[in-house]
């Protein structure tokens, strides 16, 4: 049986923080007050400092929202992989609905120099097309004082980006969510068929889900896995039978958490192992899904779980998908290979993978990858030293 090593949390946290972005979902376990901005609220006015493509004259700067027009206020950052991946979709939506009074306003709260620093680079996967050329289709902006972020993201308690706020024809917030899920709400708002109240109920279910997950996390953190599993089964009952896309997706995520809890409790039954194998199989051809799966499995290993043959199968899946992944995702995928190999004591393979993570990174991310590599080499030396001490003959032998 494999012996999985518990890796120092200082290394695993630093390495993953250096490679991961909003692609990996994370929630706060702290209780929060009610949001002051939600679906049905009047959309706050915008006071944006820099409009990147203003000289093109395609769109006017936006302060107040014109009655009868529809706006998407989206938040992004240069370091956010999923934000970058969403850009072509925003272009597609803007071009599709340009003649119907739709304006997409994308806001970064970074400094202007940081955003301008990527504009002349080629967009990943679109050789010869720069970020500047791609994003000229919609309203790309920079608001370094963070006022828009305060008025929207913090007021709505949205903790991750990219995040989009759909402002309807009457100036009210109609929908809040990931821009890749914007298509149906936007189309229905334009057609006048959008059911805001139904969506508010969906958001209320999401809030109840988050509160339940805080309880489940506490139980799991206390080692009460059976109680945590029972609690998640109770939550799942609320979503069973619901056929809307969001509820189906939530139910799938809850099922995955349930099986993860079973794995963390030491359950390596065929039912559990086969579930994860099917998840891994279904992720084939989707590097982001593979990375998300691997991140979750690595978290289980760090909890002290014996994941059996799933570790080797996951490493093989990562290797198969890494080179075809988007450039922003590759460092994370190499880091996950490094950590899984290290947990199995394969430090040569781990160091090789971490070196590739360094090679695929740049800027501050590269610095973090280099720090992770130094930590890993130190860990390998410690492990070798312990093995040498074990193998050394005792005095008098």
């Amino acid at each position: 049986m494999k012996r999985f090593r518990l890796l120092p949390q200082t290394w695993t946290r630093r390495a993953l923080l250096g490679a991961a972005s909003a692609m990996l979902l994370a929630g706060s376990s702290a209780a929060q007050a009610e949001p002051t901005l939600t679906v049905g609220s009047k959309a706050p006015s915008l006071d944006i400092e820099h409009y990147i493509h203003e000289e093109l004259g395609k769109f006017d700067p936006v302060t107040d929202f014109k009655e009868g027009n529809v706006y998407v206020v989206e938040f992004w950052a240069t370091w956010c992989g999923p934000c970058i991946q969403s850009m072509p979709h925003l272009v597609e939506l803007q071009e599709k609905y340009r003649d119907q009074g739709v304006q997409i306003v994308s806001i970064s709260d970074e400094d202007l120099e940081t955003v301008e620093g990527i504009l002349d680079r080629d967009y990943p996967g679109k050789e010869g097309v720069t970020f500047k050329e791609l994003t000229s289709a919609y309203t790309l902006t920079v608001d370094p004082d963070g006022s828009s972020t305060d008025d929207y993201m913090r007021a709505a308690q949205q903790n991750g980006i990219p995040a989009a706020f759909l402002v309807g024809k009457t100036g009210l917030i109609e929908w809040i969510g990931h821009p890749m899920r914007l298509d149906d709400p936007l189309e229905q708002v334009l057609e006048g068929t959008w059911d805001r109240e139904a969506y508010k109920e969906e958001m209320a279910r999401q809030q109840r889900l988050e509160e339940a997950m805080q309880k489940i996390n506490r139980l799991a953190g206390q080692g009460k896995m059976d109680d945590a599993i029972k609690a998640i089964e109770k939550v799942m009952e609320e979503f069973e039978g619901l056929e809307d896309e969001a509820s189906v997706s939530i139910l799938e995520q809850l099922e995955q958490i349930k099986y993860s809890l079973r794995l963390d409790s030491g359950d390596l039954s065929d039912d559990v192992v086969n579930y994860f194998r099917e998840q891994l199989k279904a992720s084939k051809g989707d590097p982001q899904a593979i990375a998300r799966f691997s991140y979750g499995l690595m978290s289980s290993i760090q909890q002290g779980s014996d994941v059996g043959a799933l570790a080797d199968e996951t490493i093989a899946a990562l290797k198969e998908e890494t080179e075809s992944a988007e450039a922003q995702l590759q460092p994370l995928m190499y880091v996950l290979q490094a950590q899984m190999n290290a947990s199995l004591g394969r430090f040569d393979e781990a160091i090789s993978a971490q070196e590739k993570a360094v090679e695929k990174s740049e800027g501050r991310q590269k610095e973090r990858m280099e720090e992770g590599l130094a930590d890993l080499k130190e860990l390998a030396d410690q492990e070798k030293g312990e093995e040498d001490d074990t193998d050394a003959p005792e005095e008098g032998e």
Side-chain angles (χ1 to χ4, degrees):
M1 179 181 290
K2 297 181 180 67
R3 180 172 68 89
F4 290 89
R5 290 161 171 77
L6 291 179
L7 306 176
Q9 289 188 358
T10 52
W11 173 52
T12 54
R13 284 177 181 166
R14 177 160 54 209
L16 287 171
L17 282 172
S21 67
M23 183 277 297
L24 297 168
L25 301 177
S28 170
S29 60
Q32 295 181 313
E34 289 294 317
T36 57
L37 184 74
T38 187
V39 171
S41 298
K42 178 178 172 56
S45 299
L46 296 175
D47 184 15
I48 299 172
E49 189 169 350
H50 303 290
Y51 284 78
I52 298 297
H53 304 298
E54 187 172 8
E55 76 281 359
L56 298 178
K58 291 184 178 180
F59 296 99
D60 293 328
V62 177
T63 302
D64 296 314
F65 301 103
K66 295 179 182 177
E67 187 172 352
N69 285 11
V70 173
Y71 299 83
V72 177
V73 180
E74 188 252 2
F75 292 85
W76 72 289
T78 58
W79 51 261
C80 166
C83 301
I84 302 300
Q85 292 167 9
S86 297
M87 285 177 169
H89 190 60
L90 295 176
V91 171
E92 178 184 334
L93 290 175
Q94 183 63 88
E95 292 181 342
K96 181 177 180 179
Y97 296 116
R98 183 186 304 276
D99 296 334
Q100 298 185 45
V102 173
Q103 183 171 355
I104 296 175
V105 182
S106 190
I107 306 170
S108 169
D109 63 5
E110 299 166 286
D111 58 78
L112 181 61
E113 183 181 3
T114 297
V115 173
E116 288 182 333
I118 73 166
L119 294 180
D120 291 329
R121 299 181 197 168
D122 280 356
Y123 182 85
K126 291 184 179 290
E127 188 175 352
V129 178
T130 66
F131 278 93
K132 187 172 185 178
E133 291 167 335
L134 181 75
T135 59
S136 66
Y138 57 93
T139 308
L140 190 73
T141 73
V142 182
D143 195 31
D145 71 1
S147 58
S148 300
T149 299
D150 288 339
D151 290 345
Y152 281 82
M153 294 292 291
R154 292 192 175 89
Q157 295 181 4
Q158 294 295 302
N159 299 315
I161 54 174
F165 296 75
L166 178 56
V167 182
K169 297 178 181 181
T170 60
L172 302 182
I173 302 290
E174 300 288 350
W175 177 89
I176 303 171
H178 195 292
M180 296 301 287
R181 303 191 185 110
L182 180 59
D183 301 56
D184 287 345
L186 178 55
E187 181 178 3
Q188 290 173 36
V189 165
L190 287 167
E191 293 175 347
T193 60
W194 176 246
D195 190 338
R196 186 194 305 149
E197 293 305 313
Y199 182 66
K200 286 179 72 172
E201 175 54 33
E202 181 182 317
M203 290 190 71
R205 284 199 301 270
Q206 180 68 34
Q207 178 64 31
R208 292 195 295 272
L209 170 65
E210 290 174 3
E211 292 170 356
M213 289 308 302
Q214 291 176 18
K215 175 184 177 182
I216 291 163
N217 287 336
R218 285 197 299 271
L219 291 170
Q222 295 166 1
K224 300 177 181 178
M225 293 300 183
D226 289 343
D227 290 340
I229 291 168
K230 289 177 183 176
I232 205 164
E233 287 174 341
K234 184 176 181 180
V235 176
M236 291 174 71
E237 291 175 1
E238 182 173 352
F239 291 89
E240 288 174 353
L242 298 176
E243 298 180 355
D244 61 279
E245 183 179 351
S247 296
V248 170
S249 175
I250 288 171
L251 191 58
E252 290 174 353
Q253 292 177 51
L254 289 170
E255 184 179 42
Q256 185 171 4
I257 295 169
K258 173 184 171 180
Y259 274 94
S260 295
L261 289 170
R262 290 180 62 182
L263 184 67
D264 291 348
S265 71
D267 185 349
L268 273 178
S269 63
D270 289 345
D271 179 39
V272 171
V273 173
N274 288 337
Y275 171 82
F276 284 105
R277 282 182 174 149
E278 286 299 315
Q279 290 283 304
L280 197 56
K281 182 179 178 182
S283 299
K284 185 177 176 63
D286 185 344
Q288 188 165 318
I290 291 287
R292 189 178 295 113
F293 177 92
S294 304
Y295 187 94
L297 195 70
M298 190 63 222
S299 297
S300 291
I301 292 172
Q302 281 301 100
Q303 295 287 337
S305 301
D306 176 1
V307 300
L310 289 171
D312 281 324
E313 294 169 20
T314 302
I315 292 171
L318 279 166
K319 287 181 176 179
E320 185 176 348
E321 302 287 348
T322 300
E323 287 304 316
S324 64
E326 296 282 355
Q328 300 96 328
L329 187 58
Q330 288 185 9
L332 172 62
M333 297 183 78
Y334 279 121
V335 166
L336 288 165
Q337 292 177 49
Q339 293 195 354
M340 287 198 177
N341 275 304
S343 73
L344 290 165
R346 300 173 187 156
F347 286 100
D348 288 343
E349 292 93 332
I351 289 170
S352 176
Q354 188 70 26
E355 287 173 339
K356 289 179 180 176
V358 172
E359 178 186 330
K360 297 292 184 179
S361 303
E362 57 184 34
R364 177 56 183 148
Q365 184 187 57
K366 191 179 189 76
E367 293 175 11
R368 287 175 173 168
M369 294 299 97
E370 289 170 340
E371 292 169 358
L373 179 60
D375 290 343
L376 181 54
K377 287 180 176 179
E378 182 180 349
L379 186 62
D381 289 341
Q382 290 174 358
E383 186 81 9
K384 187 176 184 302
E386 291 173 4
E387 290 177 356
D388 290 344
D389 290 342
T390 302
D391 294 340
E394 294 184 9
E395 188 176 345
E397 286 188 353

